[in-house]
Amino acid sequence: MERSEASARVAEAVHDLASDVVSALKGGDHSAARGGVTGTEGDGPWLAAVRMLGPDVLLPALVHGRPPHPQDVDACRRAAATFPPRADSSPVTVWSHWALTRMSDHPDVRPAVPGSPAGSEPEHASGSPAGPASEYGPGSPAGSAPEYGLDKDGGFDGARDAWPAAVPWQQLAHQLALLAPLAVPGDTATAAAHGHAALAESAVARVARQRPVDLARGFVRAVRRRDWLQAAAAGRWLAVVDGVPETLGLDSGLDFVLLMGGADPRVDLHVHAAQHFRTLRSARAGREDGTGVRA
């Protein structure tokens, strides 16, 4: 009984926090996590919600082209420290935790975090300093390219930290949907300045870019199954990769997913992000001259 009540509180907190993020995305609010900061430090359900949404708590900063709000960064750091991966955690859990710590430990946002003196070198939840390896993701040695195959033996526990590239398309779509907060464009000034570029160059994003057709199949499958959250998440990935089949009709598909599943703020969040990223790509394509060189 207590477990079900705790789950219900977390689900409610996720709903409320996702609603705050959507509000910040649409309305230009400076902070997405303001609701939780007014609570107590021991507000476990709210911190669990921050951990579940991950770096999407900082998504409004990317969309509106400004540095993340200090209280949002602090919320991400506390959530990452409170809920670190276990030794038997899945690659999805490890990667989502990496994304959260990577964003909240980015050099341009660290000095703004309360209690973190400028110039200090903060630590990850594991106690190890942030270093070059965090640019690429879990399991990647400093200075190397990301590891993203099951045959790779990466850093902290080898294969569990690698991203499984060679999986059936159904499994790929499901796993990438759980990691939709890593689906961001990395070639904007804000992304480069505030850490989102690292998510766009992660091993997870590399695999997504290699399999756009399989992602499109996952999107269609989720729509047919009326799994609006997975459809929205797959659509978000499709908004940041090349090679998406034109016959998919992604823009119309996103509108339909929002119409059918938009009552869930997590669906609204992913669709709104996907539509924004699609607009960015269209604008960049429009600035290309006849030689293909961007103006």
Side-chain angles (χ1 to χ4, degrees):
M1 187 66 176
E2 290 182 1
R3 182 180 294 272
S4 63
E5 290 179 357
S7 297
R9 288 196 297 270
V10 171
E12 182 180 1
V14 169
H15 183 281
D16 292 345
L17 181 58
S19 297
D20 282 349
V21 174
V22 170
S23 177
L25 286 173
K26 294 180 177 179
D29 294 344
H30 194 50
S31 173
R34 61 191 182 281
V37 176
T38 60
T40 65
E41 287 291 321
D43 189 0
W46 181 78
L47 280 180
V50 174
R51 174 65 182 86
M52 292 178 70
L53 261 65
D56 271 349
V57 173
L58 306 181
L59 185 63
L62 174 67
V63 169
H64 297 303
R66 61 192 178 206
H69 194 282
Q71 70 182 18
D72 293 350
V73 177
D74 182 55
C76 290
R77 294 190 70 187
R78 289 197 290 128
T82 303
F83 301 103
R86 299 189 306 268
D88 60 348
S89 292
S90 69
V92 167
T93 298
V94 173
W95 273 103
S96 64
H97 186 265
W98 167 80
L100 186 62
T101 56
R102 179 66 189 88
M103 290 304 304
S104 57
D105 280 349
H106 189 266
D108 285 351
V109 301
R110 284 198 298 252
V113 178
S116 177
S120 66
E121 186 70 18
E123 295 185 343
H124 289 286
S126 63
S128 59
S134 65
E135 295 286 344
Y136 300 107
S140 294
S144 72
E147 305 286 352
Y148 56 95
L150 282 175
D151 58 332
K152 301 290 186 180
D153 187 17
F156 23 95
D157 276 329
R160 83 174 176 88
D161 298 322
W163 179 250
V167 296
W169 65 267
Q170 298 94 332
Q171 184 180 351
L172 175 86
H174 172 71
Q175 292 178 331
L176 286 178
L178 297 175
L179 290 171
L182 278 71
V184 294
D187 55 351
T188 66
T190 305
H194 303 299
H196 280 92
L199 307 188
E201 292 303 321
S202 68
V204 177
R206 285 173 178 251
V207 170
R209 289 195 295 269
Q210 292 171 358
R211 301 179 65 177
V213 175
D214 285 342
L215 270 173
R217 295 171 73 185
F219 176 80
V220 172
R221 180 173 185 262
V223 170
R224 288 176 174 171
R225 294 163 62 95
R226 304 179 69 85
D227 186 343
W228 307 121
L229 181 57
Q230 182 165 321
R236 177 170 167 177
W237 277 109
L238 288 165
V240 297
V241 303
D242 295 323
V244 178
E246 293 185 6
T247 54
L248 179 65
L250 180 57
D251 291 324
S252 298
L254 288 170
D255 288 340
F256 181 72
V257 170
L258 184 61
L259 175 66
M260 300 300 295
D264 184 339
R266 297 171 299 169
V267 172
D268 196 354
L269 190 164
H270 290 319
V271 172
H272 187 84
Q275 291 173 332
H276 176 75
F277 300 156
R278 293 277 287 174
T279 300
L280 284 180
R281 290 171 69 89
S282 297
R284 286 197 297 271
R287 290 197 299 269
E288 292 183 354
D289 64 18
T291 65
V293 179
R294 290 174 188 164

